[in-house]
Amino acid sequence: MSLGSSPTYTDEYVSPIRDQDEESGYASGSSSEASISGVFFTKPHLAFINRQLQFLEPQEVLRWCITTLPSLYQTTAFGLTGLVTLDMLAKLKVPRPQTVDLIFLDTLYHFPETLSLLDRVQSRYPLINVHTYKPAGVEDTDQFVHKYGDNLWESNDKLYDWVAKVEPAERAYRDLHVNAILTGRRRSQGGKRGDLDIIEITETGLIKINPLANWSFQRVQNYVRDNDVPYNELLDRGYKSVGDWHSTQPTKEGEDERAGRWKGQQKTECGIHNPRSKFAQYLKEQEAIERETALHSALHSRPPVR
C-alpha cells in the first residue's frame, strides 16, 4: 500500500468492499488489490484506540504496531527516546518478528558525536537496517553552502527546515512506501508535545505512533542505564535534546528538556512534525517571490527602446 493509499480517518463509515460482483462479497488479505479500498479510521475509532493504548506499556504499544500496521518504520535522530524504542523493538518477542527499519535524516549538520553514535548503534543492533536521507542533490556541507549560501538556518529557517528535514522525510516515505512511523516524542518534552496522543494521523494519511508519550525524561534515562543502551556522549555534557550543532545548546538546571533547541527563538519543532499545509503555503509564497524577482530582472535587463 503506497503512501497515497495510507490510512486516514473520516467522520462517516466507508465500506471496505469494492467490485463485489467479481468476488464473494467480502474482502480479505487474499482478495485482489483492486477490490479493497484504503483503510479508514473514524474519529471515534481513533479516539477509542488511543484510550486503549494509553494504559499500555511502550512494549505493548510496539507489539500492537508490529502486528497491526504494515510498512512500519522508525524515524530517529538517535535521541534517548528513539534509542529506547530501538532497544525495546530488538528485544520484543512476537510470533512472526517484523524488522522495523530506521529512517535517519542526515541534515549534514549533525554533531560528530551523533554520527559516531550511529556507528555504535549499528554495531549493537546488527539486524537493523538504517535508511539515510540527505538534502536533495547534495552530499556534504560544501555542496549545501554552494547551493543555498552560508548559514541558511539564519537567513531563511523555514527553507532550511524544508530542504534539510521535511523534503528528505517525504522522499523517504515515498521511496520506502511508508504507511506508519514510530517517533520519539513525549508529552514531558513540553511545547506542542504536551497533549500528544499515542496514535496520530497526519493530513496526508501517514500514521504516527508515539509509544513513549507517557514517559518522563527520568524514566527514559533509567531505562537507558538499566539496559546499557548506547547513547549520545553529549548527554553527559549537559545536553538533553540533540539536533543540529548550530541550533542546539546544553540545558540549565530546571529548564525544560528541549530548552536547548533553538534557544531565544519562538520555535519548538524542526518541521517534520508540523502540518504539511504549513510548508505547502510557504513553498507557494516562495515560488511567487521567485517569479516576481525573475520578472523584475527581465524587465530591467531589456535594452532601451529607440
Side-chain angles (χ1 to χ4, degrees):
M1 186 163 54
S2 67
L3 183 60
S5 60
S6 295
T8 185
Y9 66 78
T10 177
D11 288 316
E12 300 178 354
Y13 173 76
V14 179
S15 170
I17 310 300
R18 291 180 185 168
D19 302 333
Q20 292 185 357
D21 293 340
E22 299 180 10
E23 303 203 20
S24 66
Y26 297 93
S28 70
S30 60
S31 302
S32 65
E33 189 171 327
S35 69
I36 305 177
S37 67
V39 179
F40 288 85
F41 290 100
T42 64
K43 287 184 178 180
H45 185 199
L46 190 62
F48 173 81
I49 292 174
N50 273 308
R51 284 197 302 270
Q52 300 303 309
L53 297 182
Q54 173 72 22
F55 300 103
L56 301 184
E57 289 298 316
Q59 292 92 333
E60 296 173 300
V61 174
L62 292 171
R63 184 187 301 275
W64 179 86
C65 291
I66 287 178
T67 57
T68 306
L69 303 173
S71 299
L72 175 67
Y73 287 77
Q74 179 184 354
T75 57
T76 184
F78 303 103
L80 274 191
T81 313
L83 293 166
V84 169
T85 300
L86 174 58
D87 189 76
M88 288 178 173
L89 286 169
K91 296 173 179 175
L92 200 62
K93 304 297 182 184
V94 291
R96 300 181 66 180
Q98 171 188 333
T99 300
V100 178
D101 289 0
L102 303 184
I103 297 173
F104 173 55
L105 304 179
D106 183 358
T107 64
L108 306 176
Y109 290 95
H110 283 293
F111 286 93
E113 290 84 352
T114 302
L115 301 178
S116 173
L117 174 59
L118 170 57
D119 294 335
R120 287 188 284 130
V121 165
Q122 290 181 303
S123 176
R124 175 70 174 272
Y125 309 100
L127 299 181
I128 299 298
N129 297 316
V130 180
H131 304 271
T132 301
Y133 279 77
K134 297 180 179 180
V138 297
E139 287 296 321
D140 54 39
T141 52
D142 288 342
Q143 293 181 9
F144 190 93
V145 170
H146 179 75
K147 187 171 184 178
Y148 297 106
D150 291 322
N151 303 340
L152 180 63
W153 53 89
E154 293 179 354
S155 61
N156 193 333
D157 68 319
K158 287 185 179 179
L159 180 59
Y160 177 79
D161 284 348
W162 171 258
V163 300
K165 302 171 186 179
V166 179
E167 189 283 326
E170 293 191 350
R171 184 163 20 103
Y173 301 157
R174 288 195 306 272
D175 291 352
L176 301 172
H177 305 290
V178 176
N179 284 323
I181 59 169
L182 301 169
T183 86
R185 294 180 297 161
R186 292 179 287 104
R187 296 190 187 106
S188 66
Q189 291 171 325
K192 295 180 179 179
R193 304 184 178 195
D195 56 355
L196 275 179
D197 282 326
I198 304 294
I199 306 291
E200 302 172 298
I201 301 180
T202 72
E203 57 194 336
T204 63
L206 180 70
I207 299 176
K208 289 188 175 184
I209 307 97
N210 311 303
L212 277 81
N214 293 326
W215 277 29
S216 66
F217 182 74
Q218 187 61 55
R219 195 171 181 187
V220 173
Q221 275 190 313
N222 291 343
Y223 182 98
V224 169
R225 183 191 64 245
D226 295 343
N227 292 273
D228 194 29
V229 177
Y231 64 90
N232 198 317
E233 300 167 12
L234 292 171
L235 272 76
D236 293 329
R237 304 178 208 165
Y239 293 81
K240 286 187 175 180
S241 178
V242 180
D244 292 337
W245 60 257
H246 52 70
S247 59
T248 306
Q249 298 179 31
T251 55
K252 298 177 181 178
E253 189 70 29
E255 285 187 322
D256 289 340
E257 181 180 335
R258 288 171 60 84
R261 303 289 295 276
W262 308 288
K263 209 156 193 173
Q265 301 180 44
Q266 296 297 317
K267 182 175 182 178
T268 59
E269 296 288 350
C270 67
I272 60 174
H273 297 302
N274 286 330
R276 175 66 177 81
S277 57
K278 171 185 174 181
F279 284 95
Q281 179 62 32
Y282 167 71
L283 292 174
K284 184 177 180 180
E285 293 171 355
Q286 287 293 111
E287 290 173 359
I289 292 172
E290 290 173 3
R291 286 196 300 269
E292 185 176 340
T293 301
L295 178 60
H296 183 271
S297 177
L299 291 174
H300 287 76
S301 63
R302 290 179 180 177
V305 178
R306 297 181 178 177

